[in-house]
Amino acid sequence: MATSEWVVDFPTLGFLAADWIEAHCIVPDGFSLGQPFVLDGWQLWCTVNHYRVRKGLTFDPTRPAQSTAFHYRRSQVVGPQKTGKGPWSAAETCFEAVGPCLFAGWARGGEVYRCENDGCGCGFEYAYEPGEPMGMRRPTSLIQLLATSEDQVDNVYRPLQGMIRRGPLLERMKVREGFIRLPEDGRIDPVTAAANSKLGNPINFAIFDESGLYTARNKLLKVSQTMRRGLAGMGGRSIETTNPWDPMEASQAQQTYESRSTDIFRFYRKPPADLSYKNKRDRHKIHQYVYEGSPWVDLAAIEAEAAELLETDPTQAERFFGNRLVQGLGSYMPEKVWDASEADREVARGERVAVGFDGSRSGDWTALRVETVDGYRFTPTYGPDSRPTFWNPEEWGGRIPRGEVNAAVSEIFDRYSVARMYVDPRHWETQADAWAAEYGDDVVVTWPTNQIGRMFDALVRFLEDSTDGLTTHSDDSTAKVHALAARKVAKPGDKYILGKPAETQKFDILMADVLAHEAAADQRTEGWDAQDTRVIVFR
């Protein structure tokens, strides 16, 4: 399988999975009802990646590797509505339930997988190529399908039942009231937030449908995390599918996509950024791009619905049909501006810099950001493990580790020539005084962010300079999350400050960024080399 984008040059059970699915699963509805379910396009690409096998594995038939045999621990598929995510998830579930979904060694030549060896009389056979990974069935499959409600669960559960009842899978998969019975006491259970009795059960595969709707507020984020812990304990894996999420809601889909973990396969075809969804011709190009690999979709019908929805809810239209992450009203930093101002350069030891510090005690993050003379902003590192200089209190027992912050400040002053450091002093008055005493009160300057007029001016300058390319930043996914989370909060006099769209979303790294840029801008105004004679007083 090869296109300009998709080349399979790695070992995978995905082709075995695709052939097995075609032989056992049928199209569950529509004009092709009853025809073999054939994986193609994005569906095949995601399958071969989900079942990508790690190179160099050895096979122990007494204790076969499960999740650790695969390159990816879990997968995420992001796509617009009606691309076929539900039926594809149902087919993957069938393969996990009774198909050869586990690694069973490497083929040397002449090996054949036969369904009859697993108690299936369909006659399916698959001849392995030399060097190809082989598959084996899991003895007992325990599977859960999670969604926000029973109706939402049906996105996967309804086509799954259709595949079973109308095809050869009926021999080994029995649809019962509220669950599906599998061989050797296995089962498939649909799960919602209300089904607390099913949570915490051991499982070895899960589908998270519409994970963009799993938030702390509706408690589905906690439910999905509980299920993932159950998967980890059983050596299981999972797939989550979703439409693009609302960036204001801090959903599981957003957390998965923004995670720094490298063992997550992510499939998200973002349309070209230079195409406008409001322009009909551009919109057609966007639909062609995001619905590629889904030939059953009628683009004319999609266009008609999207055009009408644009009149009342353009954000929803662009998200669900244009497959774009669209910021809600009131967002401060446009994603296009943030992405366009990304740069890549090394910052040498001893370079002249300005520093911004935004601190908290427990609820919010604490962060340090640095800007160079030429306007390049970045998050420095500190300590023996080169940790980034931002601190999430949840990772430190609920409170910001002040000793760590002090160590980071010390390293920054040792490593760089710090001309000016602006510190928001709230909750950090003692530390700010100590830093000023050590490094000079003309260098370490308190800069309260609760003064609306001055904060508004700093925010306007930061945004304008970012837009004009006068300040750039390093590639930092965590800083980007904070930058895009901030929302404008209106204040008297046509001014605004920043606020959180939800308590779970933070923008403290952005605040440190703004302070670093303000410190650098003020330093440039006064002359970057004038720090020895500078006296600054804020009233």
Side-chain angles (χ1 to χ4, degrees):
M1 172 188 172
T3 70
S4 59
E5 290 183 81
W6 301 334
V7 177
V8 181
D9 56 0
F10 47 82
T12 177
L13 288 177
F15 295 115
L16 169 61
D19 285 5
W20 186 97
I21 286 170
E22 183 176 347
H24 294 82
C25 301
I26 55 98
V27 177
D29 53 27
F31 289 105
S32 298
L33 174 66
Q35 296 296 311
F37 191 87
V38 179
L39 300 183
D40 198 5
W42 72 265
Q43 293 179 332
L44 181 56
W45 175 244
C46 292
T47 297
V48 297
N49 274 279
H50 185 71
Y51 290 103
R52 178 177 177 177
V53 175
R54 292 194 296 112
K55 295 179 180 179
L57 285 176
T58 57
F59 175 61
D60 180 357
T62 62
R63 297 193 66 177
Q66 297 187 64
S67 61
T68 55
F70 296 98
H71 189 80
Y72 296 112
R73 175 172 47 90
R74 58 194 186 99
S75 296
Q76 180 187 52
V77 176
V78 183
Q81 287 192 331
K82 307 308 177 187
T83 52
K85 298 187 295 294
W88 175 74
S89 298
E92 298 293 307
T93 300
C94 291
F95 183 65
E96 287 282 337
V98 293
C101 61
L102 299 181
F103 173 71
W106 304 96
R108 298 181 178 180
E111 293 91 343
V112 177
Y113 171 79
R114 295 181 174 86
C115 256
E116 62 183 19
N117 296 333
D118 281 333
C120 176
C122 72
F124 171 74
E125 294 184 353
Y126 180 89
Y128 295 107
E129 297 288 335
E132 186 177 4
M134 299 184 291
M136 60 180 287
R137 185 172 70 86
R138 184 186 293 112
T140 301
S141 293
L142 303 169
I143 298 172
Q144 289 183 345
L145 314 175
L146 177 63
T148 56
S149 64
E150 292 185 8
D151 288 342
Q152 188 74 50
V153 168
D154 278 346
N155 282 346
V156 179
Y157 197 54
R158 183 186 56 78
L160 175 61
Q161 293 177 84
M163 288 178 177
I164 295 169
R165 285 173 170 150
R166 298 186 180 95
L169 291 171
L170 190 59
E171 292 184 22
R172 292 184 293 167
M173 302 174 69
K174 308 296 183 183
V175 178
R176 300 292 186 242
E177 184 67 32
F179 73 101
I180 295 171
R181 176 69 67 192
L182 303 177
E184 287 85 38
D185 294 326
R187 58 189 290 150
I188 301 172
D189 287 296
V191 177
T192 67
N196 291 324
S197 62
K198 298 177 182 178
L199 300 182
N201 291 345
I203 52 176
N204 35 46
F205 183 70
I207 293 287
F208 298 109
D209 184 50
E210 284 303 333
S211 58
L213 301 177
Y214 303 178
T215 66
R217 189 175 301 133
N218 62 22
K219 301 182 180 179
L220 275 170
L221 188 60
K222 184 176 181 180
V223 170
S224 64
Q225 290 169 344
T226 299
M227 289 173 59
R228 281 169 49 193
R229 289 196 300 271
L231 286 166
M234 294 288 288
R237 298 195 302 150
S238 63
I239 293 173
E240 63 177 80
T241 60
T242 186
N243 299 129
W245 50 90
D246 184 343
M248 296 178 65
E249 293 184 344
S251 65
Q252 174 173 305
Q254 181 175 351
Q255 292 179 20
T256 296
Y257 189 73
E258 294 169 352
S259 170
R260 287 174 285 181
S261 297
T262 58
D263 59 352
I264 303 173
F265 171 70
R266 302 169 180 88
F267 178 77
Y268 183 7
R269 282 175 60 80
K270 285 188 177 181
D274 60 344
L275 296 178
S276 170
Y277 199 71
K278 294 180 180 179
N279 179 283
K280 184 175 182 179
R281 185 169 296 178
D282 281 0
R283 190 163 63 248
H284 179 66
K285 293 178 181 178
I286 291 172
H287 290 162
Q288 284 182 313
Y289 183 83
V290 301
Y291 284 100
E292 182 181 345
S294 302
W296 51 85
V297 174
D298 185 341
L299 293 185
I302 294 295
E303 163 59 24
E305 187 63 31
E308 181 178 355
L309 192 56
L310 275 169
E311 298 175 4
T312 56
D313 196 337
T315 297
Q316 186 181 152
E318 190 166 3
R319 183 184 306 146
F320 289 121
F321 295 120
N323 206 36
R324 278 179 169 164
L325 296 176
V326 185
Q327 293 171 273
L329 295 176
S331 60
Y332 168 71
M333 174 61 67
E335 186 172 12
K336 287 183 181 179
V337 172
W338 182 267
D339 289 344
S341 58
E342 183 180 312
D344 181 22
R345 89 166 183 81
E346 294 292 328
V347 181
R349 189 177 188 88
E351 275 201 47
R352 294 174 295 171
V353 300
V355 181
F357 174 82
D358 184 60
S360 73
R361 276 186 307 205
S362 54
D364 293 325
W365 290 30
T366 289
L368 280 158
R369 289 279 279 182
V370 170
E371 182 169 326
T372 61
V373 173
D374 59 353
Y376 180 72
R377 309 186 321 278
F378 65 98
T379 301
T381 58
Y382 78 99
D385 298 323
S386 296
R387 296 181 62 95
T389 56
F390 49 73
W391 296 268
N392 177 358
E394 292 184 3
E395 298 176 358
W396 298 90
R399 289 186 68 84
I400 298 298
R402 298 191 179 230
E404 296 278 322
V405 177
N406 280 325
V409 170
S410 176
E411 281 199 37
I412 289 172
F413 273 86
D414 286 344
R415 188 181 307 152
Y416 305 111
S417 175
V418 178
R420 189 177 297 203
M421 177 180 178
Y422 281 170
V423 178
D424 182 6
R426 187 167 182 263
H427 303 312
W428 289 80
E429 292 85 353
T430 300
Q431 283 77 14
D433 289 345
W435 296 334
E438 183 170 357
Y439 304 113
D441 57 10
D442 58 338
V443 175
V444 179
V445 180
T446 57
W447 203 101
T449 59
N450 58 0
Q451 296 183 16
I452 295 173
R454 189 173 61 179
M455 191 69 230
F456 171 73
D457 292 340
L459 292 170
V460 170
R461 170 153 58 183
F462 183 80
L463 186 56
E464 289 182 347
D465 287 355
S466 296
T467 303
D468 294 339
L470 299 177
T471 179
T472 59
H473 61 85
S474 63
D475 179 9
D476 188 326
S477 59
T478 308
K480 179 176 179 178
V481 171
H482 282 229
L484 300 189
R487 294 295 181 268
K488 296 176 182 177
V489 178
K491 294 297 178 181
D494 253 355
K495 293 180 171 59
Y496 63 82
I497 59 173
L498 298 185
K500 293 177 284 190
E503 186 57 38
T504 55
Q505 291 184 272
K506 309 299 181 181
F507 60 91
D508 306 284
I509 297 176
L510 175 67
M511 290 296 289
D513 231 0
V514 172
L515 289 178
H517 184 60
E518 194 70 6
D522 288 349
Q523 181 63 21
R524 292 187 193 97
T525 299
E526 296 185 16
W528 198 274
D529 296 318
Q531 68 186 79
D532 292 337
T533 60
R534 184 179 66 251
V535 178
I536 306 168
V537 178
F538 287 120
R539 301 186 185 278

